[in-house]
Amino acid sequence: MNSDPAKASQEAAAKVFASQWWAQRWIDVLESFGWTQRLARGRNYARGGNVLAMEFQGSKVKAKVQGTAPTPYDVTLFLDRFSDEQWQEVIETLAGRAIFAAKLLAGEMPQNIEEAFIASGLSLFPFNKWDIHSQCSCPDSANPCKHIAAVYYLMGERFDQDPFVLFALRGRSRTQILQRLRELRGSGTTAPSESAATELTAPPVPPLKAQGFWQLAGDLDPSLVAILPPPSQETVLDVLGPPPIEGAEPVVHYFKGTYAQVRNWAMAAALGAE
């Protein structure tokens, strides 16, 4: 239970603009930069409908925000784009994790997706306040002013609807990411670099023999077998999403518990435990 009424009120206000975890993460990151009063004023502007228009143009956001002056102010905002090489590395990492690929192909942001960016020395969300570049035509010298802050919250709402907008701000569209994911997942491997590909030669493939194909020719080397718990607690139900059936929540909850029991039983059986 949250014992801080001010913090609880702030969290409740932020949730107006974010119901999905990735949108809430965007707002949490912004609020961690110490812009409390400016963001509060911007939140009121966003709630009051002062953001008259907001357009995503590739990696830039352009908006018109009504302030105290008769003419709306122009707000421009963008994040640092990742290079082609950086995106290639990130998408190969995403393709290497089935749960990441499945979630993205279903139009959903995987819970631990930041791991794929961190592995490449990157951050999907702004790492610090200097990662966000913004300007406003208003006379206020503070940045963010309340007009920019209002756009921040409306961006969270937009991310809520479409997580791929966040990727677009970093330089890759939904089509580009999904197409590359399908290519890599379809080939069953990540694409090697051109220089590495020229050095690889395919080994000769021996002819298949039907007789004894499924028989083990000898004992397995115990040192080659590693029994580890799954890297994620997600099940196939999490990947597929909630069923389009009214009142299915108790059934889904039951099967999630069953999956957990089966997972624990399989681990115990593999380790020889009772």
Side-chain angles (χ1 to χ4, degrees):
M1 181 175 180
N2 196 333
S3 57
D4 186 343
K7 182 173 176 58
S9 175
Q10 185 181 42
E11 290 175 352
K15 283 183 171 62
V16 173
F17 303 98
S19 61
Q20 303 290 351
W21 76 264
W22 55 87
Q24 185 61 45
R25 170 75 170 141
W26 164 260
I27 292 175
D28 288 344
V29 166
L30 294 176
E31 293 179 344
S32 72
F33 295 155
W35 298 331
T36 307
Q37 293 184 353
R38 300 181 206 172
L39 290 177
R41 291 194 292 267
R43 189 164 57 239
N44 290 334
Y45 259 46
R47 276 214 205 103
N50 289 54
V51 180
L52 304 181
M54 185 174 66
E55 184 179 0
F56 288 81
Q57 300 177 355
S59 59
K60 286 189 175 182
V61 180
K62 293 189 175 182
K64 288 190 176 294
V65 183
Q66 185 66 61
T68 53
T71 304
Y73 297 115
D74 293 317
V75 172
T76 303
L77 185 150
F78 66 94
L79 304 181
D80 290 327
R81 291 166 56 100
F82 299 148
S83 68
D84 291 342
E85 292 76 13
Q86 288 172 327
W87 266 115
Q88 174 69 10
E89 187 174 349
V90 167
I91 296 177
E92 286 181 0
T93 303
L94 293 172
R97 294 274 296 275
I99 188 67
F100 285 172
K103 288 273 190 179
L104 289 170
L105 290 170
E108 190 176 341
M109 185 85 81
Q111 187 74 37
N112 300 323
I113 193 171
E114 289 180 270
E115 295 175 1
F117 289 86
I118 293 172
S120 301
L122 303 171
S123 176
L124 174 59
F125 296 91
F127 185 71
N128 55 48
K129 58 186 177 183
W130 294 282
D131 282 349
I132 311 176
H133 310 283
S134 57
Q135 61 182 21
C136 179
S137 61
C138 76
D140 191 348
S141 60
N143 193 327
C145 61
K146 56 190 174 185
H147 314 106
I148 292 174
V151 175
Y152 284 161
Y153 280 99
L154 266 292
M155 287 174 65
E157 188 176 69
R158 184 71 178 91
F159 297 155
D160 218 18
Q161 301 164 2
D162 183 1
F164 286 90
V165 174
L166 183 56
F167 294 121
L169 292 178
R170 290 299 197 180
R172 276 296 182 275
S173 68
R174 170 196 289 261
T175 302
Q176 289 173 312
I177 291 174
L178 295 186
Q179 180 178 345
R180 187 61 183 142
L181 274 176
R182 290 189 182 100
E183 290 172 356
L184 294 174
R185 293 295 297 175
S187 64
T189 183
T190 55
S193 63
E194 292 184 6
S195 58
T198 57
E199 298 174 2
L200 296 176
T201 57
V205 179
L208 293 177
K209 296 182 179 179
Q211 185 176 5
F213 182 79
W214 299 106
Q215 295 178 358
L216 181 64
D219 294 333
L220 291 175
D221 184 351
S223 64
L224 299 178
V225 179
I227 300 172
L228 300 172
S232 170
Q233 297 301 308
E234 291 181 300
T235 69
V236 67
L237 295 174
D238 298 302
V239 175
L240 296 176
I245 304 172
E246 186 176 355
E249 290 82 1
V251 179
V252 172
H253 180 74
Y254 170 78
F255 277 112
K256 282 187 176 182
T258 302
Y259 276 119
Q261 291 178 357
V262 171
R263 181 178 60 238
N264 295 336
W265 176 85
M267 283 291 299
L271 295 171
E274 289 294 334

